[in-house]
Amino acid sequence: MSNVRRRRAWIGGSAVLAAVAGGLMASPSHALQGTAADAAAHSHTASIVIGDAERACTGTLVAPQWVLSAASCFADATGAVQPGKPKTATTVTVGRTDLTQTTGGATRTAIRLVPHPGRDLVMVKLDTGVANLKPAVLASTPAGADEAVRAAGFGRTRTDWVPDRLHTASFTATANGSVDLALTASGDGAICQGDAGGPVLRERNGTQELLAVTSRSWQGGCFGTPSTETRTGAVATRVDDVGAWVASTSYAVPGDLTGDNKPDLVAVDDTGKLRLYPGTGTGGLGPHTIIGTGGWSGASVTHRGDWNGDGMEDVVARVGGDVRVYPNLGTGTLGAPIKIAGGLPATAQVVSIGDTNRDGKPDLVVTHTNKLFLYPGVVGAAAAVGAPVVIGNGGWDVMDLSALGDANKDGRPDLLARNTRDGVLYAYLGQPDGKTFSDLNEFGRAYTVANRPLIAGAADANLDGTADMWATAGDGTLKFYKGGADVHGPIDGPSIEVGSGGWGAIKSIS
């Protein structure tokens, strides 16, 4: 970003600050004057620029596709923060402590705001996740009396109007029993324009923790502040007790490839193209887009889990004898494939099942030679699997497999199987050891290949908390089956037609 653009943003922020008198300056544009920040220790810190000339703030990467900041950064003239897409185009640069550099870190566009219902906090969703940066760790206990902390932020210092560098300063933090922390500067540090939403960090047992987010300050000693203002105290918003809100907001919905928190369907058509049908959140689907222009005929395609660590679900496919991960570039469009396994028969079925062992990496289930194999995802690798383990010794060649979702609501992914000889559906439930599935549980009947040529687990496609299913019909339509309350019973009927024709030309769905 040019200095001219950032300078214009600061001017806009100053107008807001000037309107707040007689108290701590609450603004959508604070920054911090102190020492230049260490790049490695603060790689999770983000610069947020709203519009072309309006305001600038700071934030912290708390999940690969989410930044936590101050809600006041995005407040309108009435002080309200509207959830959803930002009204003004917003650019987020994370992992780059020197904004004059063009390498390292990543620059993203903010696509969604989720304000906290009772605090000066907002979760900012990025259009594409950041795979190569480690998110900050949220504190789980409040600040002690006069606890030593460091605050970080982009923006003004004592001498610079637009420093383009991340700076840090030392403070003592004191909790007062409310949602806020009082910050008292140690030395000549101060929170200035450009820092709202910046991290307040503590060191505990060798680990850096995000304790709070800066909210407002007196700005004594900051560039542009009247010399008569000497107070340097500030207020920050606690985050040690909002972990559940952060986790639920940043949770990646299984089956969602487009980033709208609704499960989607992927299909291979009779010309070898790969289609993406966006879910509507009701079990229905929107118009498809082509995300693979050719070469998908005969492939076993699946999608569950984030394989490269950028916070977005990816597509996995067996093409020929190779298993490949196709990274999701943000809206379902796919990047260059990454080979993670090879030497499989061209008839092998591959299911990216989700994280069976809860180690943070998705796993694969594969059938060939009449056996069921588990390929565990490798922790720490961008996209890789470990050696296969046999978890089913016979009878699997007649089964069509799909990622069902969590059918029994125990937090573990389950496997959907259809016996192609008699059309009976089965749910195999993920077990606590993370390596096996339960004995078969009958899930439905009369799903013969003639009656329902293709089936696919739909995760929770209608957002009611149960695992659902899509299936093509012999008449060329697509049906949606709402999940039942009892995993041992059939899929609830009747089905709903969500595709009126042309599905006879589809060769596989997932």
Side-chain angles (χ1 to χ4, degrees), residues 166-225:
L166 181 70
H167 288 77
T168 69
S170 297
F171 293 82
T172 57
T174 301
N176 59 10
S178 72
V179 300
D180 293 329
L181 290 180
L183 299 180
T184 302
S186 302
D188 63 353
I191 303 292
C192 310
Q193 284 198 62
D195 251 3
V200 177
L201 303 162
R202 65 145 60 120
E203 288 283 341
R204 174 158 292 187
N205 299 322
T207 299
Q208 189 181 75
E209 296 180 345
L210 180 62
L211 183 64
V213 165
T214 54
S215 178
R216 53 199 185 274
S217 78
W218 291 108
Q219 302 185 69
C222 299
F223 191 99
T225 300

Side-chain angles (χ1 to χ4, degrees), residues 88-234:
T88 305
T90 299
T91 301
V92 180
T93 301
V94 61
R96 196 175 295 165
T97 56
D98 182 350
L99 298 178
T100 65
Q101 301 298 311
T102 57
T103 60
T107 298
R108 300 288 188 258
T109 299
I111 60 172
R112 183 181 172 209
L113 304 177
V114 182
H116 190 278
R119 301 191 186 187
D120 187 17
L121 297 173
V122 66
M123 289 281 282
V124 182
K125 188 173 186 179
L126 311 179
D127 60 339
T128 306
V130 181
N132 58 344
L133 296 175
K134 185 177 181 180
V137 176
L138 263 65
S140 58
T141 57
D146 297 326
E147 181 173 349
V149 297
R150 289 193 72 81
F154 292 94
R156 296 185 191 182
T157 65
R158 185 180 299 277
T159 58
D160 293 320
W161 179 267
V162 185
D164 281 323
R165 291 292 302 270
L166 181 70
H167 288 77
T168 69
S170 297
F171 293 82
T172 57
T174 301
N176 59 10
S178 72
V179 300
D180 293 329
L181 290 180
L183 299 180
T184 302
S186 302
D188 63 353
I191 303 292
C192 310
Q193 284 198 62
D195 251 3
V200 177
L201 303 162
R202 65 145 60 120
E203 288 283 341
R204 174 158 292 187
N205 299 322
T207 299
Q208 189 181 75
E209 296 180 345
L210 180 62
L211 183 64
V213 165
T214 54
S215 178
R216 53 199 185 274
S217 78
W218 291 108
Q219 302 185 69
C222 299
F223 191 99
T225 300
S227 59
T228 54
E229 180 56 77
T230 59
R231 291 168 292 186
T232 58

Side-chain angles (χ1 to χ4, degrees), residues 265-464:
L265 182 141
V266 171
V268 177
D269 67 21
D270 57 358
T271 67
K273 293 183 175 66
L274 190 66
R275 301 181 180 186
L276 172 62
Y277 291 84
T280 62
T282 63
L285 300 169
H288 76 270
T289 57
I290 300 296
I291 60 173
T293 57
W296 294 89
S297 294
S300 176
V301 183
T302 178
H303 62 100
R304 287 293 187 277
D306 170 22
W307 283 87
N308 63 351
D310 64 0
M312 296 174 294
E313 184 166 288
D314 303 308
V315 170
V316 178
R318 181 211 31 85
V319 180
D322 293 340
V323 179
R324 305 169 182 174
V325 171
Y326 292 80
N328 183 356
L329 299 183
T331 59
T333 54
L334 305 179
I338 304 167
K339 179 181 175 180
I340 59 172
L344 296 179
T347 56
Q349 292 184 69
V350 174
V351 177
S352 184
I353 191 72
D355 184 8
T356 62
N357 58 3
R358 299 183 178 181
D359 64 356
K361 294 290 289 190
D363 306 301
L364 283 182
V365 171
V366 179
T367 60
H368 63 80
T369 59
N370 212 29
K371 296 179 181 178
L372 184 68
F373 299 85
L374 176 69
Y375 287 71
V378 176
V379 176
V385 293
V389 178
V390 177
I391 59 174
N393 278 305
W396 291 96
D397 280 353
V398 298
M399 294 292 194
D400 285 339
L401 301 184
S402 184
L404 176 59
D406 182 10
N408 62 342
K409 304 179 185 179
D410 65 351
R412 300 181 181 90
D414 304 316
L415 181 66
L416 177 65
R418 188 257 301 268
N419 190 321
T420 58
R421 293 176 302 187
D422 57 17
V424 177
L425 290 180
Y426 298 101
Y428 291 84
L429 307 180
Q431 297 299 290
D433 64 5
K435 302 176 182 178
T436 58
F437 293 89
S438 69
D439 290 336
L440 50 82
N441 296 278
E442 188 172 304
F443 206 53
R445 285 182 171 269
Y447 293 90
T448 63
V449 174
N451 186 36
R452 296 291 182 262
L454 304 173
I455 64 167
D460 182 16
N462 65 347
L463 309 181
D464 68 350

Side-chain angles (χ1 to χ4, degrees), residues 39-65:
H42 296 277
S43 60
H44 48 60
T45 308
S47 166
I48 302 173
V49 175
I50 302 168
D52 187 49
E54 294 183 21
R55 57 186 78 173
C57 290
T58 303
T60 306
L61 189 73
V62 292
Q65 204 175 357

Side-chain angles (χ1 to χ4, degrees), residues 18-32:
V20 183
L24 274 76
M25 296 184 182
S27 92
S29 302
H30 286 294
L32 185 147

